């Protein structure tokens, strides 16, 4: 059972019916990204995503620079979202990758895909456990402990040892690149997301997102990052995707999707 976080007035079953689910998440929320995170929420709201259908991914100590409990403005905003029904979820501890990876696969995933932000991609079991414990402690001090009921690793990446720790942890669910892991099942495997590091990456990910939104609807995760808010082309693509999908899919938080 989900613990002490507001749920939608209607049941997920009532909202969904026979429609495929659209799961909109706002990533990388922290004091370092507060302004663009707030803008991302507003973009989703303007497109018709109810606040109670949003999943907000919170970084406890972003870049190891500031703990969220040290920033009352961010804490107050997040608590307000939760009170209005948004779901808060723990998103790593610092978000920054620990160590280095030199294998061809490691170079691709850790630097090509994750840009050095796959925090748990190289982590040992002990280091993973330490980071989970530290993250939960920060969230508790911030009055945001409800976020620790679920877990999304930065860049959706886990080392083999990190995966074993996360699998065994007391999370209602966690998410990997291939989908949401809950009760031994891998759900909502389709993912729409954007990359905004440079113009080429933005163009390619916008093109791919436009293809994905035109496909036959299936349960889909749609991930928005604060960095997406500063590139006009990416922002326009996000709005096109939301405008296209919100009207024909059941828009749900991860919480309501999993209990529905």
């Amino acid at each position: 059972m989900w613990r002490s976080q507001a749920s939608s007035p209607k049941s997920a079953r009532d909202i969904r019916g026979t429609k495929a689910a659209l799961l909109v998440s706002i990533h990388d929320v922290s004091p370092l990204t507060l302004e663009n995170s707030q803008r991302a929420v507003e973009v989703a709201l303007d497109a018709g995503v109810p606040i109670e259908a949003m999943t907000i991914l919170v970084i406890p100590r972003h870049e190891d620079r500031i703990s969220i409990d040290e920033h009352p403005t961010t804490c107050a905003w997040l608590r307000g979202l939760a009170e209005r029904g948004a779901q808060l979820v723990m998103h790593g501890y610092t978000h920054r990758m620990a160590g280095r990876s030199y294998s061809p696969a490691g170079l691709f995933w850790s630097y090509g895909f994750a840009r050095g932000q796959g925090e748990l991609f190289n982590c040992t079991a002990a280091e993973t456990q330490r980071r989970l414990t530290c993250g939960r402690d920060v969230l508790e001090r911030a009055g945001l402990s409800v976020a620790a009921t679920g877990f999304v690793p930065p860049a959706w990446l886990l080392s083999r040892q990190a995966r074993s720790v996360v699998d065994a942890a007391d999370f209602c669910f966690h998410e990997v690149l291939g989908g949401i892991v809950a009760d031994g099942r891998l759900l909502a495997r389709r993912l729409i997301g954007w990359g905004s590091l440079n113009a080429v990456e933005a163009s390619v990910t916008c093109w791919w997102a436009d293809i994905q939104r035109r496909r036959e609807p299936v349960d889909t995760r749609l991930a928005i990052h604060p960095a997406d808010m500063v590139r006009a082309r990416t922002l326009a693509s996000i709005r096109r995707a939301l405008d296209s999908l919100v009207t024909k899919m059941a828009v749900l938080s991860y919480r309501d999707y999993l209990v529905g």
Side-chain angles (χ1 to χ4, degrees):
M1 180 179 293
W2 297 99
R3 288 166 283 183
S4 68
Q5 193 163 359
S7 59
S8 306
K10 294 182 180 179
S11 72
R13 193 178 302 277
D14 290 339
I15 296 169
R16 183 168 183 177
T18 59
K19 293 182 178 179
L22 179 66
L23 312 175
V24 177
S25 57
I26 311 297
H27 286 232
D28 300 354
V29 177
S30 82
L32 301 184
T33 65
L34 179 58
E35 184 176 346
N36 283 327
S37 295
Q38 291 172 327
R39 188 180 182 195
V41 168
E42 291 303 319
V43 167
L45 286 171
D46 289 346
V49 179
I51 191 66
E52 64 270 16
M54 289 190 205
T55 303
I56 311 293
L57 308 190
V58 182
I59 305 172
R61 186 175 173 83
H62 200 177
E63 294 289 336
D64 210 19
R65 289 169 54 188
I66 182 170
S67 292
I68 201 164
D69 61 306
E70 299 170 353
H71 200 267
T73 301
T74 304
C75 291
W77 179 63
L78 287 170
R79 285 194 292 267
L81 292 181
E83 288 168 2
R84 294 165 60 193
Q87 180 183 3
L88 308 185
V89 174
M90 181 175 166
H91 191 37
Y93 175 48
T94 69
H95 204 282
R96 187 171 61 191
M97 187 174 74
R100 295 184 178 275
S101 183
Y102 297 105
S103 69
L107 288 171
F108 171 79
W109 286 110
S110 60
Y111 300 110
F113 175 75
R115 310 292 185 181
Q117 294 295 308
E119 181 179 358
L120 301 183
F121 182 71
N122 285 321
C123 276
T124 64
E127 180 62 14
T128 300
Q129 186 61 64
R130 184 189 74 82
R131 288 171 181 259
L132 294 183
T133 299
C134 288
R136 282 171 156 161
D137 288 346
V138 169
L139 292 172
E140 183 174 357
R141 291 197 300 270
L144 302 170
S145 57
V146 68
T149 58
F151 184 71
V152 179
W156 300 284
L157 298 177
L158 294 166
S159 69
R160 183 176 300 176
Q161 292 186 60
R163 185 184 295 270
S164 68
V165 172
V166 172
D167 282 343
D170 184 27
F171 293 121
C172 295
F173 73 92
H174 66 274
E175 186 178 0
V176 294
L177 189 61
I180 300 171
V181 181
D183 297 326
R185 299 177 296 164
L186 189 63
L187 306 169
R189 298 188 181 194
R190 183 177 294 174
L191 173 65
I192 299 177
W194 290 264
S196 302
L197 187 65
N198 55 55
V200 173
E201 183 181 58
S203 295
V204 171
T205 55
C206 288
W207 167 78
W208 184 245
D210 284 340
I211 290 175
Q212 294 301 302
R213 70 179 174 85
R214 293 187 177 99
R215 296 176 66 188
E216 185 71 21
V218 296
D219 294 350
T220 298
R221 296 166 290 144
L222 191 149
I224 303 172
H225 291 76
D228 298 333
M229 298 296 102
V230 300
R231 191 173 290 276
R233 181 169 187 173
T234 301
L235 184 54
S237 177
I238 291 170
R239 285 176 167 145
R240 284 196 302 273
L242 288 171
D243 289 344
S244 173
L245 298 175
V246 165
T247 57
K248 60 186 177 185
M249 300 178 73
V251 189
L252 299 168
S253 66
Y254 285 24
R255 171 194 61 230
D256 288 346
Y257 172 69
L258 293 172
V259 301

